[in-house]
Amino acid sequence: MTLRRRLATCEAMQSSNSFPDWHGTTILAVRKNGQTVIAGDGQVSMGPTVVKGNARKVRRLAGGKVVAGFAGATADAFTLIERLEAKLEQYPDQLARACVDLAKDWRTDRYLRRLEAMLLVADAGSIYTVTGVGDVLEPGESQGGGSVAAIGSGGNYALAAAKALIDQDLTAEEIARRAMAIAAEICVYTNGNLTVESL
């Protein structure tokens, strides 16, 4: 067997066997009538096992003016949150610019490119999804007014539920809590132990 083949075999074995498959997290952002809320569940799973049920995946940044939630590998997400905090210090009160700058670094920096996480970030006026492929996505307005965005394993369920509830006579926080409860009923990697932060 050639050296190149051995290396390829070793890499394939490492990627499939060396680290457990960590799942978990549903993060949902809802903005309605001037209120912005980010809610995140507390479950962390390793394969078929729930490792922790009360993880805190939603944080306040920039002196409480910004809220960020993360999905993906926890250590990677903390690295990105730290980088985002630094960008917010560099560009105070300019969340869009801080997110774009972070996404640019994330895409071009060799170390950051390996990070496996996503961020959902909001201030009082905007919501952004930030990904490792350089995306900074702002959700459009929903039919009932307001806007919603979600990431994580149960994100699509929470997003669909929030979109269905957005035109009801409910606050942003009530919509977020109900949508997260629906996601927790459907997604096995999501629980009902919520962290909710509002602006």
Side-chain angles (χ1 to χ4, degrees):
M1 186 182 284
T2 66
L3 179 58
R4 184 174 288 179
R5 251 175 144 184
R6 278 189 208 154
L7 287 171
T9 304
C10 286
E11 283 178 11
M13 287 173 65
Q14 281 183 334
S15 65
S16 63
N17 296 331
S18 61
F19 292 104
D21 194 9
W22 290 82
H23 289 283
T25 306
T26 299
I27 305 292
L28 173 67
V30 179
R31 185 164 180 269
K32 183 178 178 183
N33 296 334
Q35 183 188 31
T36 303
V37 173
I38 292 188
D41 80 305
Q43 183 168 311
V44 177
S45 306
M46 184 174 64
T49 307
V50 176
V51 178
K52 187 171 184 177
N54 62 345
R56 187 171 173 82
K57 304 168 195 170
V58 177
R59 304 255 190 264
R60 281 190 173 271
L61 310 172
K65 295 179 187 175
V66 173
V67 177
F70 62 83
T74 306
D76 291 358
F78 283 147
T79 300
L80 292 169
I81 294 273
E82 286 172 8
R83 294 284 182 126
L84 178 60
E85 280 189 292
K87 297 295 183 188
L88 289 167
E89 285 176 16
Q90 188 177 353
Y91 307 115
D93 300 319
Q94 298 180 63
L95 181 60
R97 185 170 182 185
C99 288
V100 168
D101 219 43
L102 174 65
K104 185 172 68 174
D105 289 353
W106 194 353
R107 185 175 170 83
T108 58
D109 185 282
R110 177 179 267 177
Y111 167 70
L112 292 178
R113 261 193 316 229
R114 296 178 181 268
L115 300 182
E116 296 180 2
M118 290 179 76
L119 298 178
L120 195 53
V121 185
D123 61 10
S126 345
I127 298 169
Y128 298 103
T129 302
V130 186
T131 74
V133 293
D135 293 325
V136 178
L137 306 170
E138 185 173 17
E141 190 167 301
S142 296
Q143 282 184 335
S147 54
V148 296
I151 57 173
S153 55
N156 287 337
Y157 308 120
L159 182 67
K163 281 183 172 284
L165 293 167
I166 198 80
D167 63 350
Q168 303 294 310
D169 186 20
L170 300 168
T171 66
E173 183 171 340
E174 288 169 335
I175 291 167
R177 288 185 181 277
R178 288 189 186 188
M180 289 294 288
I182 290 167
E185 287 180 11
I186 300 168
C187 178
V188 296
Y189 298 115
T190 303
N191 69 13
N193 191 349
L194 301 183
T195 300
V196 179
E197 295 284 357
S198 62
L199 295 164

